[in-house]
Amino acid sequence: MRERGGFDRYVASLIVVSGDAEGEEHRVERPRWLLGQGPDVDAAFEDSAMAPKHTAIEFEAGRFRLSDLAGGAGTRVNGAPVEGCDLHHGDRIEIGSHVFQILIERVDAVPAFGAMTSL
C-alpha cells in the first residue's frame, strides 16, 4: 500500500504550448520522468537546443520537482532560470525551443459520500 499523498494520488501532464510539438500532451506516468532529445527518455523531442536527457520531473515528499540535467543547456520555469525547483499547477517550463505547461491534479482514490454510482 502506498503512503497517503503518494504519486498515485496525482495526475500530472505536460502540455506543449509552443514549439514543433505544439498541442501535444504528455502524461507523467512514473515518479521519475525524463524529457529531452532521447534516447531513453519518457518524452523525446526533435530539438537541437535540448540535451539528450535535459530535464527530470520527480515526485517526492508529496510534491513534483523539476531538475535540470543539462547543465549549460538551460531550463526556465515561469521565465526564471533554474537548476531545480518545486512545480505547481500551471507553471510554464521552457526547454530548448519548446514551452510546456504542467497540469497537476490531486485525485481521490475513494469517491466522496453520495458520489458513488452503481454499475
Side-chain angles (χ1 to χ4, degrees), residues 14-18 21 24 26 33 35 43 45 47 50 90-102:
L14 277 184
I15 309 297
V16 183
V17 296
S18 178
E24 290 183 6
H26 299 270
W33 194 81
L35 66 142
F45 299 89
D47 184 338
M50 279 188 196
D91 282 349
R92 288 192 172 236
I93 304 164
E94 299 171 42
I95 303 168
S97 62
H98 286 78
V99 178
F100 305 88
Q101 185 170 30
I102 190 161

Side-chain angles (χ1 to χ4, degrees), residues 9 11 18 20 33 40 42 44 53-54 59 75 81 83 85 96:
R9 294 281 189 155
V11 174
S18 178
D20 290 342
W33 194 81
D40 302 321
D42 297 291
K53 291 182 181 172
H54 196 107
F59 183 85
T75 300
E83 290 182 11
C85 68

Side-chain angles (χ1 to χ4, degrees), residues 49-97:
M50 279 188 196
K53 291 182 181 172
H54 196 107
T55 303
I57 296 176
E58 299 173 284
F59 183 85
E60 59 182 43
R63 64 181 189 226
F64 286 91
R65 183 156 179 80
L66 178 139
S67 297
D68 177 35
L69 306 175
T75 300
R76 294 179 171 268
V77 174
N78 298 325
V82 298
E83 290 182 11
C85 68
D86 288 345
L87 291 172
H88 306 282
H89 179 79
D91 282 349
R92 288 192 172 236
I93 304 164
E94 299 171 42
I95 303 168
S97 62

